[in-house]
Amino acid sequence: MTRLGTAVLLLVVVVLGVWGNIAFTQQLEPNRHTPGFSGYSLSDWQEILNALTKGNLTPSEAEIAASLIGSLANQSSQSQPTGSASNASLNALQEYFTLSSGNFSEADIMNAISLLNNSNIRDLLYSMFTRKNVTSSDIMQALNLLNDMWGRGEISTTDYMLALKLLSILAQSQGYTDLSKRLDYMSMKAAVSLMNNLTSILPNLTSYTPQNYPVPTGVGLGAAPQLILPSLEYLSVPQGLQTTIVTILVVAAAILLFLLAPRIATGLRSLNPLAYKKLERLLAEAGRWGDAVRLYWRAVSRVESSTGRRMLPSETHREYYNAVEASMGSSSALFKRLTEIYEARRFAGNSSRELDDEARRLYGELSGKL
Amino acid sequence: MGVRQAYSMLVESGYLIEKEREVKLILAALIARGHVLIEGVPGVAKTTIAKSIARSLSLEFKRVQMTPDLLPMDIIGYKIFDQKTGEFKFVKGPIFTNILLADEINRASPRTQSALLEAMQERQVTVEGETFRLDEPFMVLATQNPVEMEGVFPLPEAQLDRFLIKVETGYPSTKGFMTMLKRIDEIEAWVESIKPVVSREEVLNEIKSVKDVRVDEAIYQYIAALVEETRRHSAVRLGASPRSGIAILRMAKAVAYLEGRNYVIPDDVKQVLVPTLSHRLILNPEFEIEGVSASRVVEEIMSKVPVPKP
């Protein structure tokens, strides 16, 4: 019985595990294989977005983001027409993250300036970078200009973001740290806006926004790994592999349980024979013989409590009835009939509804009296 | 309703004082197509029970008093030369009946016992190469006195196994005995006046009906567990055989039928366990010396093996 239960459990786990793994992998497929995402997990993308939103993008995150956006830009350039808005945005974002990583050259700055679409802003920034001395008021003036134009919709988000980042670098180089941080923070907000716009432009990224981040649904072990073994998530094990690992672990545990089941059962039985018997009875009765049998055993428990006389394992149902009849008083007739119904249901194979109905009525009356 | 009706009539009459259990077991053995060994000291109504049952069932009843000088032909029959026809003709012995009471079977010589038991098993006799089938239903009610040891030939185990059940009957209680004393004339008159309530054909039909009594898988498991437990008991030298298990099953079905059910419950098995197993177990001598009986061992096994639950 125990072995059979374990075997069934094992089978269920294997089926659910395989099914869940396939289902979850399929569910992630369109998201995971977004063009340009090879080598990166979706969580990296999410982390960059979160960091940008909070305004604390670290240089290493910026470096990852630059690489990631670069791959995406390559893929996009193959599928989108040259010079499309998405390509331009991706190029600008790649440049933005390159500058944010701190690992950039003068050529990168010049490249960033060249990416600006608005010629006024481009010229202004070019002159500022080529001048020897730039004061904070110059930077503030440029910022005010940028804000005005941004407010009037005269410059794109791409230009606004890149221009802010360039001004931030300039302020940093001139020793205006606070101003640089402020500008950097503003550029990050613009970058978030641009990335969100980008996800709506690129169909493969649509389901990737923080609002609809893919969550495993349906029956399976898709969500289980993170619940069961959070360390897998911590170790950055890919989610598809997490499910496989958990499935293997559960199967191994089930096989072990299968082999040790008789010993475990013997141990449990020796710990508390009566409770074990009850458990065995409950497991066996579950849904097999209907209400008549289930209610009979409930009635037995009640009678045991009220009379203080336990049913012995070797005692038949009638023997038990005879033993408690005298101490049950007027309710003994109800219990007697319930015993007869139990016998008819259990040993005669009589599965008529009338028996169940009568058993419910008798049990109700018996419960009231005991 | 035939045999059930006879059972009710015999029990409800109140004349078979404290013999209800014996009557039920014998009737159950009859419809289970078995033979019964009744063990009891002389004078405990063994013959009365057998006679009453035979009369109530409209079956032919014969009694043979077994003695050491009884020959097989005295039971089976013999061939004699008919001078008129010039041929040998077969004279049927008392075994050609429906219910044969073999009183004090352990007094007969082993040869006679063997002939009788062979006929019980085969339900036919062969005399000088000619086979004669016995009437149906056919049941042997053999009695033996467990106390007497001199001038008796105890039945070997293999032959005891031919009996479906062994019914141990004893003295009545004081109250029952007093009732008997007061009503003895009535009882004797009643036995002689019993009218059959069941025909032979009805009995034969009921024998067929018993086979249709439902036995749940759990009951089979219970019987198997009980039988196997006899082989593990420390007091038992030779445990119950598969044939014993079959005997339990057949008797349990018959008892269920007699009680008006078409399905067996654990109580039926328990009721028939001592009668079906007690004469089949061989105990270790050291336990026998200490007074442990086979019946006690079976009861102990019953209290050890869990009944089917839920």
Side-chain angles (χ1 to χ4, degrees):
Chain A
M1 171 67 198
T2 322
R3 282 197 170 216
L4 181 70
T6 317
V8 171
L9 177 71
L10 183 69
L11 189 68
V12 169
V13 166
V14 170
V15 170
L16 279 181
V18 172
W19 180 25
N21 201 4
I22 292 168
F24 186 57
T25 309
Q26 283 175 348
Q27 198 178 356
L28 283 181
E29 202 68 16
N31 304 294
R32 178 171 300 288
H33 299 289
T34 303
F37 270 61
S38 56
Y40 296 94
S41 70
L42 293 170
S43 56
D44 294 335
W45 179 260
Q46 184 61 36
E47 277 176 23
I48 294 160
L49 262 175
N50 289 341
L52 285 172
T53 309
K54 288 175 187 169
N56 59 358
L57 184 75
T58 62
S60 60
E61 284 170 339
E63 203 164 352
I64 292 169
S67 180
L68 193 144
I69 298 289
S71 303
L72 193 58
N74 281 339
Q75 294 289 326
S76 181
S77 63
Q78 290 168 20
S79 58
Q80 305 278 329
T82 314
S84 68
S86 58
N87 282 347
S89 299
L90 285 168
N91 288 334
L93 268 174
Q94 188 190 5
E95 203 54 49
Y96 171 80
F97 287 119
T98 304
L99 296 177
S100 299
S101 68
N103 185 19
F104 58 86
S105 62
E106 199 176 326
D108 289 320
I109 290 177
M110 289 304 126
N111 189 38
I113 292 170
S114 68
L115 286 173
L116 293 167
N117 292 315
N118 189 288
S119 56
N120 293 337
I121 300 296
R122 190 171 58 220
D123 293 344
L124 173 68
L125 284 169
Y126 185 75
S127 67
M128 287 176 85
F129 268 96
T130 49
R131 256 193 290 169
K132 282 198 177 172
N133 292 314
V134 178
T135 61
S136 62
S137 60
D138 294 336
I139 297 170
M140 283 306 294
Q141 267 184 2
L143 177 62
N144 289 337
L145 178 68
L146 272 175
N147 282 338
D148 288 346
M149 291 177 84
W150 169 249
R152 290 195 299 270
E154 289 172 8
I155 55 169
S156 65
T157 312
T158 316
D159 281 4
Y160 185 60
M161 174 193 73
L162 273 179
L164 286 170
K165 187 65 196 175
L166 288 165
L167 282 177
S168 163
I169 291 168
L170 195 61
Q172 182 70 35
S173 67
Q174 298 301 316
Y176 306 119
T177 311
D178 290 345
L179 182 59
S180 171
K181 280 185 180 173
R182 183 183 160 199
L183 288 163
D184 201 28
Y185 183 78
M186 288 172 74
S187 74
M188 285 185 203
K189 295 293 169 196
V192 169
S193 170
L194 188 62
M195 282 180 79
N196 284 335
N197 288 340
L198 196 62
T199 53
S200 64
I201 293 166
L202 292 173
N204 285 331
L205 286 173
T206 305
S207 59
Y208 190 66
T209 53
Q211 288 76 26
N212 52 9
Y213 185 73
V215 173
T217 54
V219 181
L221 291 179
Q226 290 172 43
L227 294 171
I228 300 168
L229 295 174
S231 55
L232 290 176
E233 180 70 11
Y234 179 74
L235 293 170
S236 297
V237 177
Q239 282 188 316
L241 198 56
Q242 286 181 18
T243 309
T244 310
I245 290 170
V246 169
T247 306
I248 290 168
L249 287 176
V250 173
V251 168
I255 290 170
L256 201 65
L257 190 66
F258 179 80
L259 295 172
L260 296 176
R263 284 189 183 188
I264 295 169
T266 312
L268 287 174
R269 194 184 290 125
S270 62
L271 278 175
N272 190 341
L274 283 173
Y276 181 84
K277 208 75 214 162
K278 215 168 212 174
L279 177 72
E280 218 175 36
R281 187 196 297 164
L282 281 171
L283 285 174
E285 83 175 40
R288 197 168 159 191
W289 288 289
D291 276 359
V293 171
R294 190 172 54 81
L295 291 172
Y296 170 75
W297 286 110
R298 275 202 199 175
V300 168
S301 295
R302 279 182 170 267
V303 172
E304 282 177 339
S305 309
S306 78
T307 60
R309 166 71 162 77
R310 282 198 171 276
M311 185 190 244
L312 304 171
S314 63
E315 207 165 34
T316 68
H317 318 286
R318 291 190 179 200
E319 284 171 344
Y320 182 66
Y321 166 73
N322 290 332
V324 295
E325 184 189 5
S327 44
M328 282 186 74
S330 61
S331 54
S332 67
L334 297 169
F335 188 54
K336 184 183 183 185
R337 179 63 192 143
L338 203 55
T339 306
E340 286 168 356
I341 291 174
Y342 165 81
E343 286 176 351
R345 188 72 197 244
R346 178 66 184 79
F347 299 110
N350 185 345
S351 56
S352 73
R353 277 190 177 179
E354 287 76 23
L355 283 183
D356 279 345
D357 292 342
E358 194 182 350
R360 268 181 229 115
R361 183 183 59 75
L362 289 166
Y363 178 73
E365 286 180 39
L366 192 67
S367 306
K369 288 189 176 182
L370 289 176
Chain B
M1 284 302 290
V3 177
R4 283 181 212 159
Q5 204 179 336
Y7 171 61
S8 305
M9 187 270 286
L10 291 171
V11 170
E12 285 163 15
S13 69
Y15 290 116
L16 292 173
I17 297 161
E18 295 176 8
K19 299 293 173 195
E20 293 83 358
R21 177 181 150 274
E22 286 83 345
V23 171
K24 184 200 269 186
L25 288 171
I26 293 167
L27 284 174
L30 174 72
I31 54 176
R33 292 188 84 228
H35 305 287
V36 180
L37 177 65
I38 307 174
E39 193 173 86
V41 291
V44 288
K46 297 188 293 284
T47 311
T48 307
I49 294 169
K51 227 176 182 180
S52 310
I53 289 172
R55 281 176 179 272
S56 67
L57 296 178
S58 185
L59 297 176
E60 198 182 337
F61 170 76
K62 284 179 185 167
R63 176 184 171 175
V64 181
Q65 182 62 51
M66 308 294 258
T67 52
D69 59 352
L70 198 76
L71 297 173
M73 61 186 286
D74 295 330
I75 296 173
I76 291 166
Y78 50 90
K79 282 192 171 179
I80 57 165
F81 185 72
D82 188 342
Q83 286 185 330
K84 284 182 187 173
T85 59
E87 288 175 351
F88 282 93
K89 74 170 185 182
F90 181 63
V91 178
K92 289 180 176 179
I95 203 165
F96 288 89
T97 184
N98 296 123
I99 297 178
L100 175 71
L101 177 64
D103 226 352
E104 297 185 276
I105 190 169
N106 52 347
R107 284 192 171 277
S109 66
R111 196 176 158 206
T112 309
Q113 287 176 1
S114 177
L116 173 65
L117 294 166
E118 196 181 326
M120 284 161 58
Q121 180 70 15
E122 304 296 327
R123 291 179 178 263
Q124 64 181 32
V125 291
T126 304
V127 179
E128 290 176 26
E130 199 178 345
T131 302
F132 301 91
R133 285 209 65 80
L134 298 176
D135 295 338
E136 286 286 351
F138 172 62
M139 179 169 74
V140 173
L141 288 175
T143 69
Q144 70 174 16
N145 181 349
V147 178
E148 262 182 329
M149 297 303 289
E150 282 187 24
V152 295
F153 305 93
L155 293 170
E157 279 76 18
Q159 293 192 345
L160 278 173
D161 203 30
R162 309 274 185 224
F163 290 99
L164 187 65
I165 55 169
K166 181 176 93 170
V167 180
E168 288 173 21
T169 187
Y171 296 120
S173 65
T174 310
K175 189 185 168 192
F177 180 43
M178 284 173 65
T179 311
M180 194 189 297
L181 289 175
K182 287 174 194 170
R183 301 176 66 188
I184 187 62
D185 293 336
E186 263 181 82
I187 292 168
E188 282 173 356
W190 171 78
V191 171
E192 295 304 320
S193 68
I194 292 173
K195 295 278 184 291
V197 289
V198 192
S199 68
R200 182 177 160 270
E201 285 68 33
E202 279 177 305
V203 175
L204 291 173
N205 285 333
E206 287 187 303
I207 288 171
K208 287 178 190 165
S209 302
V210 169
K211 290 179 182 169
D212 297 329
V213 171
R214 186 180 188 277
V215 183
D216 191 82
E217 186 69 24
I219 299 289
Y220 287 122
Q221 285 173 3
Y222 183 47
I223 293 172
L226 287 164
V227 169
E228 282 168 7
E229 192 59 34
T230 63
R231 298 170 200 156
R232 286 192 283 265
H233 198 283
S234 57
V236 178
R237 183 156 60 96
L238 189 67
S241 63
R243 188 190 285 173
S244 313
I246 296 165
I248 296 168
L249 177 68
R250 284 167 58 190
M251 275 300 288
K253 285 168 92 169
V255 166
Y257 182 84
L258 273 186
E259 292 191 354
R261 274 181 282 106
N262 63 349
Y263 55 93
V264 175
I265 59 172
D267 298 81
D268 300 328
V269 177
K270 276 195 161 184
Q271 271 191 69
V272 303
L273 208 62
V274 171
T276 45
L277 290 186
S278 62
H279 61 297
R280 290 181 161 103
L281 299 185
I282 301 176
L283 302 185
N284 283 318
E286 60 267 34
F287 285 89
E288 277 187 309
I289 290 165
E290 284 177 13
V292 175
S293 67
S295 304
R296 210 175 105 189
V297 169
V298 176
E299 277 163 7
E300 203 181 306
I301 287 167
M302 265 199 285
S303 67
K304 209 189 276 181
V305 176
V307 300
K309 284 169 188 167

